[in-house]
Amino acid sequence: MQFDLGDIRALLAVAEAKGFREAGRLTGSSASGLSDAVRRLEAQLGVRLLNRTTRSVVPTEAGRALLERLGPAVAEMQAALNIASGFRDRPAGLLRLNVPVSAAKLVLPSIVPDFLKAYPDIRLEIVTEESFVDIIAAGCDAGIRYDERLEQDMIAVPIGPRVQRFAFAASTAYLDAHGRPQHPRDLLEHACIRGRFAGRPIPAWEFEHGDEVVKVDPPGPLIVQSGGGSDLGVYAAIAGVGIVALFEDWLQPHFENGALEPVLKDWWQSFSGPFLYYPGRRLVPAPLRAFIDFIKARKPEADASGL
């Protein structure tokens, strides 16, 4: 049996005020409306809850028994609603983001510590996944992906570097032994460390120099899963196995310490940076709204060094 919460509130108000007119004054309702609500509740229960006279309103035995149980229950429910309403104004609670490994490794480290310091009541959970997923079905509030992998019904906010490059590298020992490629097609004669996403074909390597765009599909002794296996590909390149391709920022520390040497740098292709995306909702959860505002307030990262 379903009961109208408004009718229950009306009963509580009338019983506390000891009259329909006074209850109407205190709640901003009409006395007749409160009377109708109590009658509906009595009809639904099949028992009289209030004895009414022209001078007073007194609960019946059934009414007293019901009110003794309803009062604390409704108060607890109101307290719970107040807590939930508090999340609207005070950013608190859990924020789950679904992101690729590259974002977890290269974009979020410069953001997360300052964000958590600014919002100590928010707990942040990062779920790493390379494929594009339904973030709602995955139990996440938002995700990070690139524009070609965003669905049209999503709201997208720029996050991280706005221009990135895909870089190619090998160890100096490997290049000394096998030669330094001068054109992308030279890679067909080299050992190349390839990457691919789970369940998808190995993508060709793409290069661009002026108006010339070249795609090559070179051979190689090692294939790793993009994202989770990328570091293995880097370590293999450092060990002299062959030439690796990855986001420039991922390889930059190894360029700086001399473990790797850039290959075909004039041919590295640029592309736009990632986006934070989330469903177009009327009510955005407070933790997500805080994260969006935090991202928007940051100085744009426009360098071309890549993700």
Side-chain angles (χ1 to χ4, degrees):
M1 186 179 294
Q2 297 291 323
F3 296 95
D4 189 292
L5 183 57
D7 292 349
I8 294 173
R9 288 183 179 277
L11 173 67
L12 290 169
V14 172
E16 184 175 355
K18 296 181 173 59
F20 290 96
R21 189 168 299 172
E22 180 63 10
R25 186 185 68 80
L26 293 173
T27 62
S29 306
S30 67
S32 60
L34 292 172
S35 179
D36 290 341
V38 172
R39 284 197 183 94
R40 282 195 300 271
L41 190 57
E42 288 176 329
Q44 199 169 2
L45 290 170
V47 63
R48 178 179 289 273
L49 299 173
L50 298 176
N51 284 322
R52 310 158 176 80
T53 69
T54 56
R55 293 179 300 278
S56 64
V57 174
V58 180
T60 64
E61 182 179 0
R64 285 194 300 272
L66 179 61
L67 289 166
E68 287 175 2
R69 301 291 295 272
L70 278 180
V74 172
E76 180 64 25
M77 181 181 65
Q78 186 62 55
L81 291 172
N82 289 340
I83 291 173
S85 178
F87 280 86
R88 175 192 60 197
D89 305 314
R90 177 180 58 85
L94 178 64
L95 172 61
R96 299 185 82 231
L97 301 180
N98 187 292
V99 308
V101 172
S102 57
K105 182 179 178 70
L106 302 170
V107 174
L108 293 180
S110 65
I111 296 173
V112 166
D114 290 341
F115 173 72
L116 293 178
K117 288 177 185 176
Y119 297 97
D121 293 328
I122 292 178
R123 292 181 297 116
L124 182 61
E125 181 177 350
I126 304 299
V127 179
T128 55
E129 188 148 13
E130 295 305 313
S131 60
F132 188 84
V133 299
D134 182 338
I135 55 175
I136 300 302
C140 295
D141 300 291
I144 295 177
R145 292 295 186 276
Y146 288 82
D147 54 359
E148 71 272 12
R149 304 181 73 188
L150 295 178
E151 296 187 6
Q152 295 301 313
D153 61 346
M154 292 291 171
I155 296 176
V157 178
I159 185 172
R162 300 323 311 142
V163 179
Q164 304 179 271
R165 289 195 300 182
F166 209 61
F168 298 80
S171 69
T172 298
Y174 172 87
L175 294 172
D176 286 344
H178 298 87
R180 288 166 173 76
Q182 300 302 307
H183 190 278
R185 282 188 285 272
D186 295 342
L187 295 173
L188 297 174
E189 305 300 324
H190 282 267
C192 295
I193 300 165
R194 308 294 299 276
R196 70 171 167 187
F197 295 104
R200 299 175 64 183
I202 301 173
W205 282 357
E206 189 166 328
F207 299 83
E208 186 174 353
H209 184 65
D211 295 331
E212 187 178 3
V213 175
V214 177
K215 289 185 179 182
V216 297
D217 192 10
L222 177 63
I223 301 169
V224 298
Q225 182 169 324
S226 297
S230 294
D231 275 333
L232 174 59
V234 174
Y235 299 144
I238 293 172
V241 171
I243 298 173
V244 69
L246 203 57
F247 292 110
E248 182 179 359
D249 274 359
W250 201 314
L251 297 175
Q252 188 60 39
H254 305 294
F255 292 149
E256 293 173 357
N257 65 24
L260 291 175
E261 182 179 318
V263 172
L264 295 169
K265 190 170 184 178
D266 290 342
W267 287 85
W268 291 357
Q269 195 172 53
S270 299
F271 54 93
S272 62
F275 292 84
L276 175 76
Y277 72 98
Y278 58 98
R281 296 172 175 165
R282 185 172 59 88
L283 298 175
V284 175
L288 176 56
R289 171 51 59 192
F291 190 72
I292 294 168
D293 292 342
F294 186 84
I295 295 302
K296 288 182 175 180
R298 288 171 56 84
K299 182 179 179 180
E301 301 174 60
D303 63 278
S305 60
L307 183 69

